[in-house]
Amino acid sequence: MPLLWALLALGWLRRGSTVYLQPQLASVTFATNNPTLTTVALEKPLCMFDGSEPLSGAYEVYLYVMVDSASSRNASVQDSSGTPLSSTFRHTQGGKTGPYKAAAFDLTPCSDLPSLDAVGDVSQASEILNAYLVRVGNNGTCLWDPNFQGLCNPPLSAATEYRFKYVLVNMSTGLVQDQTLWSDPIRTNRPAPYAAIDTWPGRRSGCMIVITAILGSLPFFLLVAFAGAIVLSFVDMGSSDGETTHDSQITQEAVPKSLGTSETSYTSVNRGPPLDRAEVYSSKLQD
């Protein structure tokens, strides 16, 4: 994508000296929900400080934030010697008493910017967004983490107007080389009141209503099925106890024959339940 198109999309239109430029909200192409309750995404000052001629040496860009007030437009971010302020979020009560440094990043040369043609590639989207955008208020733990090292960029206050300023710092001298104007007031979103949240099921889709009805009645059917299984188990146990079994065994016992015989007689005995008339049959062989 041509560099001119990228500059137009990002809103950085040069109007003479860089001192007349202001930080801008990120384009909706890159940040659809911006600002949020506690964050603001801004476009980085690409090809702004080094647009006319390349800069030699090491440079960084500092981003300062301040709550909008009557004096915020003229607030200074450097001391009398030209050294940039090192004030923090905590020292300025979140930007209420003065500007604080929220972010710092290297100045990327225009020739090294990633192509916007690959912004749809998931594997490169994060790298491209980091190159073109900076988000204020995206660190929610730095204020409470005693081991945090680095520049703290805590969440902003909801429904509050802020101003932003970029400052170019020469790292060799530690002095301010150039800076932008303070931005126009940018207001973070206001939380939606509870009364405004629509919970009426009539505005839900038909599919959601059907799913809700099924999930609501499912526990009842499971309980009925469980109770039925218990009842059937007791019925099966009662029927098994009422069954009667009859065992009948017939054995043959050897009965000794009287003396003088050489064969053995067998008697059939019924060991089943007692009969009214028990009969015993004996068979003897005659010599």
Side-chain angles (χ1 to χ4, degrees):
M1 183 176 297
L3 182 59
L4 178 60
W5 186 96
L7 295 177
L8 291 175
L10 294 171
W12 288 107
L13 299 178
R14 297 186 59 83
R15 295 171 293 179
S17 175
T18 57
V19 74
Y20 297 111
L21 294 176
Q22 294 176 304
Q24 302 290 328
L25 273 175
S27 171
V28 294
T29 305
F30 305 104
T32 56
N33 185 21
N34 184 43
T36 65
L37 294 175
T38 58
T39 64
V40 173
L42 300 173
E43 298 165 355
K44 286 185 176 181
L46 303 175
C47 304
M48 183 180 66
F49 295 118
D50 59 344
S52 57
E53 58 183 12
L55 297 174
S56 59
Y59 289 88
E60 280 192 359
V61 178
Y62 293 173
L63 173 60
Y64 287 89
V65 183
M66 186 177 182
V67 176
D68 183 38
S69 63
S71 60
S72 60
R73 180 177 289 273
N74 299 321
S76 177
V77 294
Q78 62 185 24
D79 58 17
S80 58
S81 63
T83 303
L85 299 179
S86 59
S87 52
T88 63
F89 182 92
R90 192 184 299 275
H91 294 156
T92 61
Q93 300 179 15
K96 295 179 181 179
T97 61
Y100 69 92
K101 186 167 65 173
F105 49 89
D106 295 332
L107 181 64
T108 304
C110 292
S111 57
D112 295 341
L113 292 175
S115 174
L116 292 176
D117 292 333
V119 71
D121 188 352
V122 178
S123 61
Q124 303 182 36
S126 178
E127 178 184 355
I128 294 176
L129 292 179
N130 290 334
Y132 284 91
L133 305 180
V134 57
R135 185 175 293 275
V136 183
N138 65 341
N139 193 328
T141 60
C142 61
L143 284 179
W144 323 114
D145 186 1
N147 299 321
F148 178 80
Q149 300 292 333
L151 195 59
C152 186
N153 183 18
L156 304 175
S157 299
T160 305
E161 291 186 340
Y162 290 90
R163 290 182 182 269
F164 306 90
K165 176 191 279 285
Y166 286 120
V167 176
L168 180 66
V169 179
N170 188 329
M171 302 308 295
S172 300
T173 61
L175 302 178
V176 174
Q177 182 81 14
D178 207 343
Q179 59 185 296
T180 67
L181 297 174
W182 282 102
S183 69
D184 293 332
I186 298 176
R187 187 181 184 87
T188 54
N189 287 345
R190 181 186 300 274
Y194 178 78
I197 300 176
D198 187 8
T199 58
W200 182 51
R203 289 189 174 88
R204 299 178 183 176
S205 64
C207 182
M208 292 179 61
I209 295 176
V210 172
I211 294 175
T212 303
I214 293 175
L215 293 178
S217 59
L218 184 59
F220 171 76
F221 290 110
L222 291 177
L223 182 61
V224 171
F226 181 71
I230 294 177
V231 172
L232 290 177
S233 64
F234 280 112
V235 171
D236 292 341
M237 291 176 61
S239 61
S240 62
D241 292 341
E243 293 180 355
T244 304
T245 58
H246 300 277
D247 295 333
S248 177
Q249 295 180 350
I250 298 177
T251 60
Q252 290 182 339
E253 295 182 354
V255 179
K257 191 179 178 181
S258 59
L259 296 176
T261 61
S262 60
E263 295 182 357
T264 306
S265 63
Y266 294 88
T267 303
S268 176
V269 180
N270 187 347
R271 291 190 177 180
L275 301 177
D276 294 340
R277 297 176 61 186
E279 296 180 358
V280 179
Y281 297 92
S282 300
S283 176
K284 297 182 179 180
L285 297 177
Q286 301 294 331
D287 292 337

